Amino acid sequence: MRKLLLPIMIIVAAILIIARLFFLQIIDDSLRLKSENISIKIKYEYPERGYIYDRKGTLLVANQPSYDIMVVPREIKDLDTLEFCNLLHITKEDFKKKIEKAVVYSPMLPSVFLGQLNKLEYAAFQEKERKFEGFYIQKRSLRDYQVNVGANVFGFIKEANENTVKKNPYYKSGDLLGIQGVEEMYENELRGVKGVKHIQRDRFNREIGPFKEGKYDTIAVQGKDITLTIDAELQKYGEALMKNKRGGIIAIEPKTGEILCLVTAPSYDPALLVGRQRSRNYTKLYNDSIAKPLYDRSLLAEYPPGSPFKILTALVGLQEQVIDTTTTFACHHGFSYGRKFMRCHSPAGMYRLHNGIAQSCNAYFANVYLDILKKQPKTSLSVDVWSNHVKSFGLGQFMGYDLPTGRKGLIPNNAFYEKWAYPNGSIRPTYIVSNSIGQGEVLMTPIQLANMMAAVANEGYYYTPHIIKKIKGQPIDEKYRTKHVTTIDKKHFKPVIEGLAEVFKTGTAYFLGVEGLEICGKTGTAENFAKINGKRVQLADHSIFVAFAPKKDPKIAIAVLVENGGFGSTTAGPITTLMLEKYIKGKITQKDREKRVLEKSLQNEYNKFSKKYMDSMYRIKLRKDSLDRVKNKKKIDSIKKAQAQT
């Protein structure tokens, strides 16, 4: 039996191999399709991308027809290059570069020669297409924006680069894909599925019909429509209020975590990045290194949060039982610690939680913070306790929202201080007391500020902020319906909320109230420094305001940050209350306030920084030129000396 085992195994293996070969060569035509791809022309049918709507069903992004000229280099014959270039308004040099690029991709496969022709260009080429063997028209669609706002929300469409084509077999040279915003985040849903047609050709390279009667052809499947949480009217209004200013406005629905608006300023019209001019316009926007219109400040910019952070200082103090609502601290226009003095704009007097929040007293919150740090036997332990409480509000970490960009901000812990500032446990409470008022090492993005206020409005919980409301035919991710609970007990939020309401009655925003709307909010003014020519230069303060409304059953939480805007109550505050009234009431009653905000420009303030920056760059260049001259002189002297010796 053992003698027969090996021959039997060989026979069985041979039978299996023969059967497989018979199946592949006689029954299954898929390999034949691949082996005969020289005589079979593959045409792709590109589907329409899914439409994008706002939360109320308003169409934001649709599609418009576009036409690409495709080329198969190996099939080019008897081409009148001059006529071809004149027809498409390109130079011979451009023609050569494009053909070389197509050959590198593949001499036998189609790739985009010239993309995104308009209707007139398409019509002109179509008339003479038969004369240009090796070239043909590929129809596809481009984005058609129904609004001129929300560029940072949508993102844009561009051709897939070589790296993308290598990494993802779905994409071919010239395919379009989403970059940034929801176009990138929901690319798989929006793009749909390409259709494929296999056209058989005879020995004269003439098309003679579908291969195998279309057995292997597939039809294009349109992309899925998506509905965003964005309120288009609120987004438009926010961008108008931020004209001639820099910063961000983020509004969130506290009960769901849905992002109602995501404003970054300055921004741009999304239509600029559509069509043949996309590359030129993108380069222009990208090269604006001062205003940075492509930089999404609402998600990427990290700022000291200033006085709004005092809300968390109060909540941690209550949770750690170092204060209660009756605990009192004295203020004498500031707070002395060591040889330093933390200045305070509040009137001198005695402060408790309620009026400490309303008047934004630095001395009160500095004392609370020091008591938190002194509770544990070691400052290092207390720093971690404080840090963990604050991080439970979603701070100091990527928040997990459904946009492809963002920053973590910074909530320092003991490990951070030991690594960067105070090794060997040398940290002391007074060294880091600036954290108590949102300065020091604390950094937050505007969306984190808005989420913090959503958690306060909900009295201790929040949902991960997200911009997707509905995808046609499928549910949204479960993580956007998962509640995150902070480490602060619910009972501690009520007295803090009362203090935030008092801000609009007798506090720092008493003149910003809106009739018939009870708002809870907090002003903020954050010191602003920039490094110019290696030196730390103080610029105009950032203006910050956070709020939610109405006090009972909040419908919206918001954060507004205006770079170099000064006091929180003078620039960010009016913007905040106008946005709240717009969303809740649907109309604006404070017309004078609206007029002042719309007309206010901070461009002069930004020009000051630009001048300092440019002067700095000029001085650096002068120094470099001077050093180069010295080096050149030494080099010339050295050569002359060597020649003399010779």
Side-chain angles (χ1 to χ4, degrees):
M1 186 64 184
R2 287 182 180 178
K3 292 180 180 180
L4 295 175
L5 182 61
L6 183 59
I8 291 172
M9 290 176 65
I10 293 172
I11 292 169
V12 170
I15 292 171
L16 289 174
I17 291 171
I18 292 168
R20 181 61 178 165
L21 288 172
F22 178 81
F23 174 78
L24 292 175
Q25 294 186 16
I26 307 301
I27 299 175
D28 186 8
D29 288 322
S30 60
L31 285 182
R32 183 185 166 198
L33 179 64
K34 293 177 181 178
S35 66
E36 296 182 359
N37 59 9
I38 295 175
S39 63
I40 296 171
K41 184 176 182 179
I42 296 176
K43 283 188 177 181
Y44 291 103
E45 183 182 347
Y46 289 89
E48 276 198 276
R49 285 181 78 85
Y51 284 34
I52 300 176
Y53 298 86
D54 88 335
R55 65 187 297 109
K56 296 177 181 176
T58 303
L59 180 62
L60 302 177
V61 186
N63 298 303
Q64 56 182 308
S66 173
Y67 308 91
D68 294 345
I69 295 179
M70 309 295 290
V71 61
V72 182
R74 187 169 177 175
E75 296 178 6
I76 299 175
K77 294 177 183 176
D78 304 324
L79 179 68
D80 186 336
T81 308
L82 183 61
E83 181 185 10
F84 184 85
C85 291
N86 288 338
L87 182 65
L88 296 176
H89 306 292
I90 61 174
T91 64
K92 273 194 172 184
E93 289 71 24
D94 287 337
F95 175 85
K96 289 178 181 177
K97 287 178 183 177
K98 292 177 184 296
I99 292 297
E100 287 170 2
K101 182 179 178 182
V103 170
V104 169
Y105 173 70
S106 172
M108 297 181 293
L109 295 177
S111 59
V112 175
F113 175 82
L114 191 63
Q116 303 178 10
L117 275 66
N118 58 37
K119 290 181 180 179
L120 293 176
E121 292 169 327
Y122 163 67
F125 183 81
Q126 191 183 37
E127 282 184 14
K128 299 186 177 183
E129 184 178 354
R130 67 186 184 281
K131 297 175 66 176
F132 308 129
E133 235 180 306
F135 295 88
Y136 68 92
I137 290 287
Q138 173 76 64
K139 184 179 178 181
R140 68 176 84 216
S141 61
L142 295 179
R143 280 316 208 184
D144 185 15
Y145 295 98
Q146 309 299 302
V147 293
N148 60 359
V149 298
N152 63 310
V153 175
F154 305 136
F156 56 92
I157 306 298
K158 65 170 285 188
E159 285 187 19
N161 58 32
E162 291 180 13
N163 289 334
T164 303
V165 172
K166 288 178 183 177
K167 291 177 183 177
N168 192 330
Y170 176 85
Y171 297 103
K172 307 297 179 186
S173 177
D175 281 5
L176 303 177
L177 77 161
I179 302 293
Q180 297 180 8
V182 296
E183 294 281 16
E184 178 177 335
M185 200 68 189
Y186 292 98
E187 163 70 6
N188 291 345
E189 289 78 12
L190 288 168
R191 75 186 181 193
V193 180
K194 285 184 291 189
V196 183
K197 289 184 179 180
H198 302 86
I199 310 298
Q200 193 164 6
R201 297 177 293 192
D202 62 16
R203 61 193 181 93
F204 299 107
N205 206 31
R206 295 175 300 195
E207 294 184 5
I208 58 175
F211 176 73
K212 286 289 182 180
E213 298 181 348
K215 179 180 177 181
Y216 299 102
D217 294 351
T218 59
I219 61 171
V221 180
Q222 183 173 348
K224 295 177 181 178
D225 296 343
I226 66 173
T227 300
L228 303 183
T229 61
I230 292 291
D231 183 314
E233 283 299 313
L234 191 66
Q235 179 79 19
K236 182 178 179 181
Y237 190 57
E239 292 197 19
L241 295 176
M242 288 295 288
K243 187 177 180 181
N244 295 317
K245 307 170 188 71
R246 295 177 190 167
I249 304 175
I250 299 86
I252 296 174
E253 186 177 66
K255 293 293 190 291
T256 62
E258 293 180 356
I259 299 172
L260 302 173
C261 77
L262 191 72
V263 175
T264 182
S267 189
Y268 60 93
D269 185 341
L272 288 174
L273 299 186
V274 177
R276 296 272 294 278
Q277 300 301 314
R278 189 203 72 80
S279 181
R280 182 182 300 174
N281 291 335
Y282 180 85
T283 301
K284 186 177 179 181
L285 293 169
Y286 180 83
N287 288 336
D288 186 351
S289 59
I290 303 298
K292 299 181 180 178
L294 292 174
Y295 182 67
D296 193 338
R297 287 168 164 84
S298 61
L299 302 176
L300 289 169
E302 297 169 305
Y303 304 95
S307 292
F309 196 77
K310 294 172 182 176
I311 298 169
L312 298 183
T313 302
L315 288 169
V316 176
L318 291 168
Q319 181 68 30
E320 288 299 306
Q321 299 179 359
V322 298
I323 59 165
D324 58 30
T325 55
T326 62
T327 304
T328 304
F329 296 105
C331 177
H332 301 287
H333 300 293
F335 175 73
S336 296
Y337 57 106
R339 296 181 180 180
K340 296 182 180 180
F341 184 74
M342 184 188 291
R343 194 160 54 92
C344 183
H345 295 288
S346 303
M350 304 301 291
Y351 285 89
R352 297 181 180 181
L353 178 66
H354 191 71
N355 64 337
I357 293 173
Q359 298 297 330
S360 196
C361 176
N362 286 346
Y364 175 85
F365 291 99
N367 276 294
V368 173
Y369 185 71
L370 291 180
D371 284 352
I372 294 169
L373 297 188
K374 291 174 183 176
K375 184 178 179 183
Q376 301 292 334
K378 290 184 179 180
T379 301
S380 57
L381 297 174
S382 296
V383 169
D384 283 341
V385 169
W386 166 82
S387 179
N388 290 335
H389 281 308
V390 173
K391 286 178 179 177
S392 73
F393 285 79
L395 309 181
Q397 57 197 286
F398 291 112
M399 300 183 67
Y401 46 71
D402 53 343
L403 287 163
T405 190
R407 293 275 174 82
K408 293 195 297 183
L410 175 62
I411 302 299
N413 57 12
N414 183 59
F416 170 86
Y417 284 120
E418 283 190 348
K419 182 176 181 180
W420 298 108
Y422 306 106
N424 305 319
S426 60
I427 185 172
R428 294 187 180 182
T430 52
Y431 294 174
I432 56 174
V433 71
S434 294
N435 288 338
S436 64
I437 60 170
Q439 296 285 170
E441 287 71 47
V442 175
L443 294 173
M444 292 169 64
T445 60
I447 194 171
Q448 289 176 327
L449 273 168
N451 189 64
M452 177 193 81
M453 286 309 287
V456 175
N458 291 334
E459 299 183 9
Y461 71 89
Y462 68 91
Y463 292 93
T464 299
H466 54 282
I467 208 160
I468 193 71
K469 190 172 181 69
K470 184 171 64 177
I471 303 175
K472 189 175 181 180
Q474 71 183 67
I476 66 169
D477 198 310
E478 180 64 30
K479 71 178 182 179
Y480 303 128
R481 301 194 294 271
T482 302
K483 183 186 289 188
H484 303 278
V485 181
T486 71
T487 57
I488 308 298
D489 295 339
K490 182 177 180 178
K491 64 182 179 181
H492 297 311
F493 286 88
K494 293 188 183 299
V496 171
I497 289 172
E498 290 300 327
L500 295 174
E502 192 65 28
V503 169
F504 282 88
K505 296 172 184 175
T506 62
T508 53
Y510 72 90
F511 55 91
L512 289 176
V514 177
E515 188 175 349
L517 184 61
E518 191 169 15
I519 305 172
C520 299
K522 184 75 193 71
T523 55
T525 307
E527 290 185 337
N528 173 30
F529 295 90
K531 211 166 191 179
I532 300 177
N533 198 18
K535 295 181 180 179
R536 193 166 182 257
V537 179
Q538 184 164 10
L539 305 173
D541 294 340
H542 294 323
S543 177
I544 307 170
F545 206 102
V546 296
F548 63 83
K551 178 184 173 184
K552 294 180 180 178
D553 191 22
K555 299 292 190 297
I556 177 174
I558 189 169
V560 177
L561 192 147
V562 183
E563 293 182 6
N564 310 102
F567 290 118
S569 58
T570 58
T571 305
I575 294 173
T576 302
T577 54
L578 288 168
M579 291 287 286
L580 293 175
E581 186 177 29
K582 178 73 173 178
Y583 183 72
I584 295 173
K585 291 186 174 183
K587 61 180 182 179
I588 299 298
T589 59
Q590 308 290 326
K591 293 294 183 182
D592 290 341
R593 184 180 301 172
E594 182 184 52
K595 185 173 183 293
R596 286 194 299 272
V597 171
L598 290 172
E599 292 177 352
K600 184 167 185 173
S601 173
L602 294 173
Q603 198 56 51
N604 287 337
E605 198 62 49
Y606 303 137
N607 289 341
K608 290 178 188 176
F609 170 74
S610 299
K611 187 176 184 307
K612 289 179 181 178
Y613 177 79
M614 295 307 293
D615 288 347
S616 168
M617 294 298 102
Y618 181 66
R619 285 194 296 271
I620 290 172
K621 185 177 183 303
L622 286 179
R623 284 201 300 272
K624 184 177 181 299
D625 291 345
S626 177
L627 288 171
D628 288 343
R629 283 195 296 271
V630 171
K631 288 179 182 177
N632 289 336
K633 188 176 183 303
K634 287 181 178 178
K635 187 175 180 181
I636 291 169
D637 290 344
S638 175
I639 292 171
K640 286 181 177 178
K641 186 177 180 181
Q643 288 174 340
Q645 289 175 349
T646 303

